[in-house]
Amino acid sequence: MKLWGGRFTKEENQLVHNFNESLSFDQKFYAQDIRGSIAHVKMLGKQNIITKDEMNQIIDGLNGIKTDIDTGKLRFSKESEDIHSFVEANLIERIGDAGKKLHTGRSRNDQVALDMKLYTRDEVVEINTLLKTLLSSLLKVMEKNTETYMPGFTHLQKAQPITLAHHFGAYFEMFKRDRDRLDDIYERMNYCPLGSGALAGTTYPLDREYTASLLDFKGVTLNSMDSVSDRDYVIELLSCLSTIMMHFSRFCEEICIWNSNEYRFVNIDDSYSTGSSIMPQKKNPDIAELIRGKTGRVYGALTSILTTMKGIPLAYNKDMQEDKELTFDAIDTVKGCIVLFTGMIDTMTFNKDIMEASTKHGFTNATDAADYLVNHGVPFRDAHGIVGELVLFCEEKGIALDDMTLEEYNAISPVFENDIYEAISLETCINKRMTIGAPSPEAMNNTIKIYREYLNK
C-alpha cells in the first residue's frame, strides 16, 4: 500500500521502490510507530475529529498488530514502502474504513520525526542504564585496589606512582560525563513534533499538548518546519556515542598493552579471549581490539549524518531517511560494546606484584626524590638536575633508586640522609598525595564514597 498513489498514473518502477523503501530498516521502531499512532488517535477522539467508536476500533486494531508482530504471527511485507504504510495497510485490512481515518491531521513527515524521537529516547535511557552498570563494575575494582601500586604514564613512559583504583577512577569520570551528556540529550530532545503536519501544521483542531502528555514528552515543539526537519538530537546522540567509543578505545588500548607479554599487568579471562590458528601459545585480547576497532564505525555514522544534513533546505527532504540505518547500527554497536567490556572487566584479574615491581623499576619516585631535596633547602631546579644524575647512575648499573646505597647517594649530593629511603618508598609516594582527586588511599576512599552515592541515586 502506498500512502501517496492518487496523483500518479504509472506504477512505481521496482528499482525505484527498492531504492526508496525504508521498511527493511525502519521496521525496527514498529512499537514506537504504533504507540505514536495510538496517542494520535486518542487525541482525535478527544477532539471529536473521529468518533469514539472509530477511535476504539483503531486502537484495538493497532494493539492487535503490535501483538502479532511481537509474537511473529505478522511478518513485514516487502511490498510496503515503510513501517507507516505497513501498519496502516494492515489496520485497514483488519477494521475496514475506520482504519482509513488513522492518518487524519498527520503527515508522514511529523510521524517519522516522532517515531525517530521515541526510538532514540528509549535507546538513550537504555544506553545510560548500561553505562551505570559499567560504572558499578569499575567501582568494584576501585574499592578493592586502593593500595594496588602501578606506574602512571605520560608519553607511554613511566612517570609517577599511582594505584589501580586511581587509574580506573579516571575512566569512571569519563563514563560519568558520558551519562551526563545522555541526560542532556534526553532533556533537549524531549519535545513532541506530532501535529506539525508536513511542515505547516494542520487546519484540524488538534490538541498537541494532550498528545505530548500521552507520550511522556515534556512539551511540544514550537515551529512546525523545524519539527519535521530537526535531526539535531540524532547528531547529538551520535556525537555522544562517538565520545563513549573514544573512551572505550583508550581503555581497550591500555588493556591490550597491559595484557602484552612485556607488561603482564592483567589476565583477561579465557571467556573474553581467543587463540591463534597456528600459534598454540597465543591468548589474544580480541574483545578489547574489536571494541577499539568498532570506534571508527560509530565515528562514520556521525560523519555521515553531518554530511547528509549540511546542505538540506527547509523543511523535510528524503535525504533525511539516511538518519536511520547508521544510527541504528551505531546504537547497537555501542550497546554491544558496553555489555562485552563490562563482562571483560568483571572477569579480569590483576598481577599486582608485577605492577608494583614495574612501578619500582621505572623511576616513578624520581619526583619525590627531588621533593626530598627541596624540603632540605635545595632549589628545585638544582634538585631536578641532581635527581637526573641519580637516574643516569641507576640506568648504568641496572638498579632502581631504592637500591642505591647511601654512599652512592652522597657521592652525587651530600644532602641525602637515611630517611631518603622512606621518602621515596611507594607507600610514602602514594600516601602523601592527599589532595582531592589524588591517588592516596585516603583521597581515593573519599572519592569512592562520592561515586557510591552517585550510583545509588
Side-chain angles (χ1 to χ4, degrees), residues 198-377:
L199 80 159
T202 177
T203 58
Y204 293 99
L206 306 184
D207 187 341
R208 292 190 63 208
E209 288 82 3
Y210 178 70
T211 308
S213 68
L214 292 176
L215 295 170
D216 299 318
F217 282 104
K218 186 175 181 179
V220 298
T221 55
L222 297 180
N223 184 282
S224 55
M225 292 182 73
D226 178 63
S227 299
V228 298
S229 60
D230 168 35
R231 295 299 183 270
D232 287 4
Y233 62 94
V234 174
I235 293 169
E236 286 190 62
L237 176 59
L238 290 175
S239 177
C240 180
L241 296 185
S242 295
T243 303
I244 291 171
M245 290 303 295
M246 179 266 290
H247 292 153
F248 274 126
S249 187
R250 295 181 70 181
F251 209 161
C252 286
E253 172 74 7
E254 293 195 311
I255 288 172
C256 290
I257 292 171
W258 295 351
N259 182 70
S260 68
N261 295 333
E262 285 70 25
Y263 278 80
R264 294 180 292 124
F265 284 4
V266 301
N267 295 309
I268 300 175
D269 191 79
D270 286 356
S271 60
Y272 288 88
S273 305
T274 63
S276 165
S277 64
I278 189 172
M279 295 169 284
Q281 83 280 12
K282 296 292 293 299
K283 182 179 176 182
N284 300 325
D286 280 12
I287 297 304
E289 292 172 351
L290 276 171
I291 293 173
R292 185 178 61 188
K294 287 182 182 294
T295 300
R297 184 175 185 140
V298 178
Y299 287 3
L302 173 61
T303 301
S304 177
I305 188 62
L306 283 169
T307 305
T308 296
M309 294 300 297
K310 74 176 182 62
I312 298 181
L314 289 174
Y316 180 82
N317 293 266
K318 191 69 172 181
D319 315 44
M320 293 179 189
Q321 182 170 293
E322 290 296 302
D323 68 342
K324 294 174 188 62
E325 285 180 278
L326 291 172
T327 300
F328 295 159
D329 182 77
I331 288 170
D332 291 342
T333 297
V334 171
K335 289 196 299 185
C337 288
I338 297 173
V339 171
L340 284 167
F341 189 88
T342 302
M344 184 172 64
I345 291 296
D346 285 340
T347 55
M348 185 183 294
T349 57
F350 302 92
N351 298 319
K352 298 181 181 182
D353 291 343
I354 293 175
M355 295 167 77
E356 182 171 338
S358 176
T359 310
K360 286 181 177 179
H361 290 87
F363 304 109
T364 60
N365 51 1
T367 301
D368 294 87
D371 290 342
Y372 172 90
L373 291 171
V374 170
N375 291 330
H376 286 72

Side-chain angles (χ1 to χ4, degrees), residues 1 23 65 69 74-77 80-91:
M1 170 184 171
L23 181 64
I65 291 171
I69 296 175
L74 176 61
R75 299 187 180 278
F76 297 107
S77 167
S80 295
E81 182 180 353
D82 51 37
I83 188 60
H84 324 297
S85 56
F86 174 81
V87 170
E88 187 169 337
N90 274 275
L91 180 67

Side-chain angles (χ1 to χ4, degrees), residues 21-29 321 324-325 328:
E21 70 85 24
S22 60
L23 181 64
S24 57
F25 49 86
D26 67 19
Q27 61 183 254
K28 198 175 186 75
F29 52 43
Q321 182 170 293
K324 294 174 188 62
E325 285 180 278
F328 295 159

